[in-house]
Amino acid sequence: MKRNFSYKICPWCLKRQFIKNYPIRKIVDDCEICHGIEKQIDKICHKVIQSTKDYVYDTLLIGVTLDHTFYDNEDKFRSRFKIRGKQNIKMSLLREIRTRFTKISHKKIDLNSPDIVVNLQIGKKFETLVSIRSSTLVLSGRYKKTKRFRSILKNADKDSYLEINQHYIENILKKKLARITKCESIIFWPIGKEEPESLVLGAGRPFYVSIKNSKITRFRRHFSIRSEGITFNINKKPSHLPISAPHLINKVRCFVNCSENLKSSHLKLINSTDIKIVKFNNKRNKIWKFVYHMQSKLKSKKNFELIMLCDNGFPVRKFINGYEDTSPNLNLISKVNCKCDTFDILDIICENIC
Ligand SMILES: [Zn+2]
């Protein structure tokens, strides 16, 4: 067995052992604990600088996975001297890397919500693998649609129709955002849907996007993306996605065709400030949605324009056409056979108007 003071320990390793009167030797590579890892710290920091150069960020968290031989060496030494509860080689190395890196890069360490997380895997011979991930970025905003899309699937059912429109909008936004952020993936969360032919005006439809491993972690407070008749106004960076969708009221303009000539008595029956509860039968269940206001305006003998204030997600076409036992529906209310041509979202209001 070695004598107590015959271990070759470098000053960097010796400092954290707190052993009284242990002789300080000028050892670096021969250190029996770290084999000169301290000398590698600057090299490791520059490797991190190199690996993070594509990221735009302010704060980071650095983690280290160290080859087990370094712990084994230190444990062996500590058991000889019965050293307990002192900082180990990994923590010491990590603290040093964090300090030196922040000095070189002028970035800040943030343990709670860093812009990026850097993980270092350091092998037996100091071979270092750097992996970087940015924290998932959540942005929110509203989109406006000032151009009607022409749907390719003429005979698709209503739900597919809404899906097609959502995918189309999603692809426009994803293409643009992916180019800006050089990210791994994007998820688009609109609050509500509309048909491909529907315009979305006013303040627009609220949406959220979550962006995985974005190279850009800091955005201007407001920015817009315009493409193919859609304007995405992005103005908030919430810390996470909301647990539930906010209660929204839609102002909808519908163009309605009738099977017979319209009389003022028909329109009188429609115009109402009474709140209506409308029951819709879905494939699996029944849902109830509110109409808060209806106002009609004659356009020609057999057409009228209907302005409605209703809940977000209100199935407008089902209500006007009276599909699937929707009750009450516009046919029943107006006492005339109605068919929805197109409808537009004039505004989406985020407040309770009842
Ligand atoms: Zn050492």
Side-chain angles (χ1 to χ4, degrees):
M1 192 187 264
K2 275 184 178 184
R3 279 185 299 143
N4 268 2
F5 294 132
S6 65
Y7 284 90
K8 289 180 190 164
I9 305 294
C10 74
W12 184 72
C13 286
L14 190 61
K15 211 166 80 185
R16 63 176 179 275
Q17 313 303 337
F18 297 93
I19 306 167
K20 270 185 187 171
N21 305 323
Y22 201 99
I24 299 169
R25 299 187 180 101
K26 280 189 179 174
I27 293 169
V28 180
D29 297 346
D30 290 340
C31 173
E32 287 178 55
I33 294 179
C34 77
H35 302 295
I37 206 166
E38 197 214 358
K39 217 171 70 182
Q40 301 291 322
I41 293 174
D42 281 341
K43 215 164 144 190
I44 293 168
C45 288
H46 281 105
K47 202 159 185 181
V48 177
I49 297 267
Q50 196 59 26
S51 307
T52 53
K53 71 177 188 323
D54 292 338
Y55 285 80
V56 177
Y57 68 102
D58 292 329
T59 61
L60 83 161
L61 178 65
I62 304 176
V64 166
T65 309
L66 200 57
D67 188 85
H68 71 92
T69 52
F70 293 102
Y71 300 101
D72 295 348
N73 296 343
E74 189 161 57
D75 285 349
K76 230 186 276 170
F77 180 81
R78 286 187 171 182
S79 66
R80 184 84 162 89
F81 286 89
K82 297 191 172 48
I83 299 167
R84 281 194 199 98
K86 299 281 184 280
Q87 193 176 60
N88 68 5
I89 181 166
K90 179 190 159 168
M91 291 318 292
S92 197
L93 180 71
L94 188 56
R95 203 183 54 186
E96 203 78 37
I97 291 173
R98 283 177 180 170
T99 312
R100 286 202 216 171
F101 182 80
T102 48
K103 218 174 200 177
I104 304 170
S105 64
H106 305 294
K107 305 288 183 187
K108 279 184 190 148
I109 297 288
D110 184 341
L111 303 178
N112 300 316
S113 53
D115 293 339
I116 64 165
V117 176
V118 176
N119 260 307
L120 300 169
Q121 246 185 310
I122 303 172
K124 207 174 173 176
K125 292 183 176 157
F126 314 131
E127 58 277 26
T128 305
L129 283 175
V130 185
S131 61
I132 301 154
R133 292 201 67 77
S134 63
S135 306
T136 299
L137 191 67
V138 178
L139 300 175
S140 74
R142 285 185 177 238
Y143 73 77
K144 286 202 262 185
K145 186 174 153 204
T146 51
K147 199 177 108 182
R148 296 183 196 282
F149 298 155
R150 232 185 280 161
S151 174
I152 317 151
L153 300 172
K154 282 282 171 209
N155 298 321
D157 63 46
K158 188 183 165 285
D159 292 337
S160 320
Y161 225 49
L162 301 179
E163 291 299 324
I164 291 164
N165 180 65
Q166 186 180 317
H167 283 143
Y168 194 66
I169 292 170
E170 183 174 5
N171 287 338
I172 294 171
L173 180 65
K174 277 184 173 178
K175 215 162 109 186
K176 292 278 174 186
L177 269 182
R179 203 173 294 160
I180 297 170
T181 61
K182 297 181 185 73
C183 62
E184 205 173 281
S185 62
I186 298 172
I187 303 173
F188 175 59
W189 312 89
I191 302 179
K193 297 171 183 174
E194 73 281 333
E195 294 185 354
E197 289 86 355
S198 298
L199 303 177
V200 182
L201 306 170
R205 184 178 296 288
F207 68 90
Y208 291 86
V209 270
S210 67
I211 307 169
K212 225 173 158 186
N213 203 15
S214 170
K215 301 284 183 299
I216 313 280
T217 62
R218 289 276 178 260
F219 284 90
R220 289 198 308 270
R221 192 173 279 184
H222 306 282
F223 71 99
S224 297
I225 293 172
R226 285 186 189 86
S227 182
E228 299 179 45
I230 306 262
T231 305
F232 301 91
N233 291 314
I234 297 167
N235 51 26
K236 275 183 195 151
K237 193 180 167 232
S239 55
H240 51 79
L241 289 167
I243 296 161
S244 60
H247 184 236
L248 300 171
I249 308 288
N250 288 1
K251 186 177 183 186
V252 186
R253 176 181 60 197
C254 318
F255 297 101
V256 185
N257 297 327
C258 298
S259 58
E260 57 189 275
N261 286 349
L262 285 155
K263 294 176 196 157
S264 57
S265 59
H266 292 131
L267 300 186
K268 229 179 207 174
L269 289 167
I270 296 168
N271 296 344
S272 156
T273 50
D274 293 346
I275 294 172
K276 289 178 180 61
I277 304 172
V278 183
K279 185 185 85 185
F280 297 93
N281 293 308
N282 266 350
K283 279 171 199 156
R284 287 186 204 142
N285 53 1
K286 292 180 175 66
I287 57 160
W288 285 265
K289 295 269 181 188
F290 287 89
V291 177
Y292 303 96
H293 184 79
M294 289 206 292
Q295 184 68 44
S296 60
K297 197 171 148 191
L298 199 65
K299 287 286 173 188
S300 71
K301 281 177 187 170
K302 291 184 178 179
N303 305 89
F304 68 93
E305 181 190 280
L306 173 70
I307 305 282
M308 275 202 297
L309 283 179
C310 56
D311 283 336
N312 190 33
F314 184 88
V316 174
R317 203 171 279 280
K318 272 189 193 174
F319 171 69
I320 294 174
N321 297 359
Y323 290 157
E324 297 168 4
D325 286 338
T326 300
S327 162
N329 59 54
L330 203 63
N331 289 288
L332 294 172
I333 295 167
S334 65
K335 298 192 174 26
V336 67
N337 204 356
C338 300
K339 199 163 182 288
C340 180
D341 184 10
T342 53
F343 67 88
D344 297 321
I345 314 294
L346 296 182
D347 211 350
I348 298 175
I349 306 146
C350 190
E351 62 181 22
N352 205 337
I353 60 155
C354 320

